[in-house]
Amino acid sequence: MSATTSTIKATITVIGATGQLGESITTVLLTDFRQNFPTVRALTRDPTSAKAQELAKKGAEVVKLDYAHVSDALAGSDVIVNVLPTSVAAEDRRKVDNAAINSGAKVYFLSHFGLDPKLVHFDGYLHQEWASKLQLEAEARKAAQDKLKIISVYNSIFLDIVLSPFIGFDLEKNVYTPYGSASAKFATTSKADIGRAVASLSLLALDPSSAASVPDEVRIAGSIVSFEDVRDIVARVKGVAPGEIKSEDAEKVKNQLREQKGDGSILDYLRVALGEGWLNLSPNENELVNPGQKLWKWKTVEDQIRGL
């Protein structure tokens, strides 16, 4: 099945459509998969914003996100994609989950994009953001029972932001600073490819002939690389000598995070997880969502570097 051959026609609603990820997902739905989703509803707190108006120009039905009346905005949806950030109060995110579950929709994507908290090992000091996601997921799956299909999509870390000094990749200075092993592999996926995966999974889950093939948890990876791999790609693309790797003590950072009991810097958590190899999403469901890359070509780390 592909976006060009599927006969599915559905209404899809994106909650948080003008956020960094939400905008990318909504744009993909309005372009690459428009024939399958003739109605794309974009929920946002400010329908008058420049981003909201741009989505409207592309054909989105822009609706104000009101947590007190979110059920009204979800009515008639076949698929609901929740891209709300954890900065939204847990009670409001719970309201959205409950409204989606009782909306009559067939498929609901939880706001779980990013790393899989179940694969990292911060036992007793998991970051509060990830702990909150796990708690809300458990509540949502219990409440849903057989009302609709709930899907969690994990991509580890976003390709659009990973190549940053804040995460240990200083491409300008050609210096790479992992917390722990420079050879540990990690997955990374572009925001646009996450949108394509959501569209593909929606079509699979809506089609009775393929619905059973869609798991509750889906892991995707546009690239799987290490700090060493990134250093070597930069050297090859830019025609420079391989850069310097300065590994830092991951155990020291872990001890600091333990003392902070879930309130530590999320960047430190991410960098420890990268160095420990906890973000290596292999195996994954790439072949399910994009068999043989026939629907699209995954954007790779090398593609990202060449575009900088």
Side-chain angles (χ1 to χ4, degrees), residues 45-304:
R45 288 175 294 177
D46 183 8
T48 66
S49 71
K51 287 184 177 182
Q53 291 303 301
E54 185 61 30
L55 291 175
K57 289 178 183 177
K58 293 176 180 176
E61 178 185 309
V62 178
V63 178
K64 181 176 177 59
L65 174 57
D66 179 354
Y67 296 116
H69 302 96
V70 68
S71 296
D72 296 337
L74 300 181
S77 301
D78 298 299
V79 180
I80 299 170
V81 186
N82 185 347
V83 206
L84 290 175
T86 52
S87 58
V88 174
E91 189 54 41
D92 286 331
R93 286 184 283 144
R94 186 174 285 110
K95 288 178 183 176
V96 169
D97 284 342
N98 289 334
I101 289 166
N102 293 295
S103 66
K106 301 176 182 68
V107 183
Y108 178 44
F109 290 86
L110 293 170
S111 184
H112 267 211
F113 305 95
L115 66 75
D116 184 348
K118 294 182 290 300
L119 297 183
V120 299
H121 304 290
F122 299 108
D123 301 331
Y125 61 106
L126 185 66
H127 194 278
Q128 58 183 359
E129 177 178 312
W130 301 332
S132 173
K133 282 189 174 185
L134 289 174
Q135 175 64 34
L136 288 175
E137 177 185 17
E139 293 177 9
R141 291 193 181 280
K142 182 178 180 180
Q145 297 180 4
D146 296 325
K147 291 181 180 178
L148 78 174
K149 175 72 174 181
I150 292 185
I151 303 173
S152 298
V153 175
Y154 300 109
N155 57 276
S156 278
I157 192 164
F158 300 103
L159 177 58
D160 314 72
I161 65 169
V162 67
L163 300 177
S164 160
F166 297 107
I167 302 178
F169 297 94
D170 193 333
L171 273 59
E172 183 176 342
K173 296 181 179 178
N174 204 14
V175 175
Y176 308 89
T177 313
Y179 286 177
S181 173
S183 62
K185 299 287 188 178
F186 63 89
T188 181
T189 309
S190 75
K191 292 183 292 185
D193 283 348
I194 294 168
R196 295 181 181 103
V198 165
S200 177
L201 286 165
S202 297
L203 296 176
L204 288 167
L206 289 171
D207 189 335
S209 69
S210 56
S213 69
V214 181
D216 293 342
E217 298 181 349
V218 176
R219 296 170 181 84
I220 57 174
S223 289
I224 295 179
V225 294
S226 66
F227 271 80
E228 291 175 342
D229 293 334
V230 173
R231 174 203 59 184
D232 294 343
I233 292 170
V234 170
R236 183 173 66 253
V237 169
K238 294 189 174 184
V240 298
E244 181 181 6
I245 290 180
K246 297 181 177 180
S247 298
E248 296 192 5
D249 186 356
E251 289 303 319
K252 179 180 178 181
V253 180
K254 282 191 210 176
N255 288 333
Q256 293 171 346
L257 294 174
R258 284 191 190 94
E259 293 174 0
Q260 294 167 317
K261 299 179 180 178
D263 290 325
S265 165
I266 197 163
L267 288 178
D268 283 341
Y269 275 93
L270 283 171
R271 292 182 68 177
V272 168
L274 286 169
E276 292 288 348
W278 296 338
L279 303 190
N280 180 1
L281 297 186
S282 180
N284 53 56
E285 279 70 48
N286 280 14
E287 279 302 301
L288 173 68
V289 301
N290 185 20
Q293 297 195 69
K294 293 178 181 177
L295 303 187
W296 72 89
K297 297 295 183 183
W298 296 99
K299 187 174 184 180
T300 65
V301 167
E302 181 164 338
D303 293 334
Q304 182 74 6

